[in-house]
């Protein structure tokens, strides 16, 4: 398992490098990019409350993050029709296109990396990564940003 840890740290570093480049080009904080990823990956419209919990931020910090993202044209706040108190966060179309262009090399690397693996092997890798992420989500400790 130590070899897995080494490779996961290496992968984290490489992805982090690309994220930092994107954040710098867009004049964003690294936390802002994490928020954008959470909004993009959410199975349903993201709310500030859910974003706060996912990122482990205080209410004030998540509000500041969303304000920065909105000023930068990255997200839009949309009030729900049925209950105007509920706010959904949507990734702005232009911002999404810019992110897609910047992160395309990561997607290409993923495709190249998986090309030599058969479907069964990729299924096992996905199962492992899912189990690892689920286990990491249960690691106790104070959420980041508190």
């Amino acid at each position: 398992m130590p070899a897995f840890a080494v490779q996961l740290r290496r992968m984290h570093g490489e992805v982090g490098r690309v994220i930092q480049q994107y954040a710098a080009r867009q004049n964003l904080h690294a936390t802002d990019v994490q928020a954008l990823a959470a909004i993009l990956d959410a199975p349903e419209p993201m709310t500030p409350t859910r974003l706060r919990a996912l990122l482990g931020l205080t209410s004030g910090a998540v509000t500041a993050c969303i304000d920065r993202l909105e000023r930068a044209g990255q997200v839009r706040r949309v009030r729900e029709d049925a209950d105007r108190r509920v706010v959904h966060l949507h990734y702005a179309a232009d911002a999404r296109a810019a992110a897609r262009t910047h992160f395309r090399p990561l997607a290409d690397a993923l495709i190249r990396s998986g090309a030599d693996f058969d479907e069964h092997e990729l299924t096992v890798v996905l199962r492992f990564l899912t189990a690892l992420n689920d286990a990491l989500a249960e690691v106790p400790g104070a959420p980041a940003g508190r």
Side-chain angles (χ1 to χ4, degrees):
M1 290 313 264
F4 280 102
V6 168
Q7 292 304 318
L8 288 169
R9 282 192 299 273
R10 182 176 167 212
M11 181 183 69
H12 177 70
E14 295 298 336
V15 171
R17 177 180 53 79
V18 176
I19 289 170
Q20 289 295 336
Q21 289 170 349
Y22 181 75
R25 285 186 182 149
Q26 298 296 317
N27 293 318
L28 300 172
H29 295 258
T31 301
D32 299 342
V33 180
Q34 288 179 315
L36 288 171
I39 293 166
L40 179 66
D41 293 342
E44 63 228 14
M46 182 62 71
T47 65
T49 301
R50 282 206 333 273
L51 185 62
R52 177 185 171 276
L54 278 171
L55 299 181
L57 298 174
T58 64
S59 294
V62 82
T63 298
C65 175
I66 294 167
D67 288 347
R68 283 191 306 269
L69 290 171
E70 192 171 43
R71 277 193 309 273
Q74 298 285 327
V75 299
R76 293 180 299 110
R77 286 178 169 112
V78 178
R79 294 207 177 272
E80 190 178 80
D81 288 334
D83 184 349
R84 302 290 293 160
R85 295 171 298 176
V86 176
V87 174
H88 291 153
L89 304 171
H90 295 276
Y91 210 136
D94 291 347
R96 188 185 291 231
R100 189 175 292 125
T101 298
H102 181 86
F103 289 105
R104 184 70 209 175
L106 286 181
D108 293 343
L110 179 64
I111 291 166
R112 281 192 318 275
S113 299
D116 291 336
F117 294 84
D118 65 33
E119 188 174 334
H120 173 72
E121 290 172 314
L122 291 173
T123 299
V124 171
V125 170
L126 180 59
R127 189 167 62 89
F128 171 76
L129 291 173
T130 300
L132 176 60
N133 283 323
D134 290 347
L136 290 173
E138 294 175 6
V139 171
R146 288 213 176 163

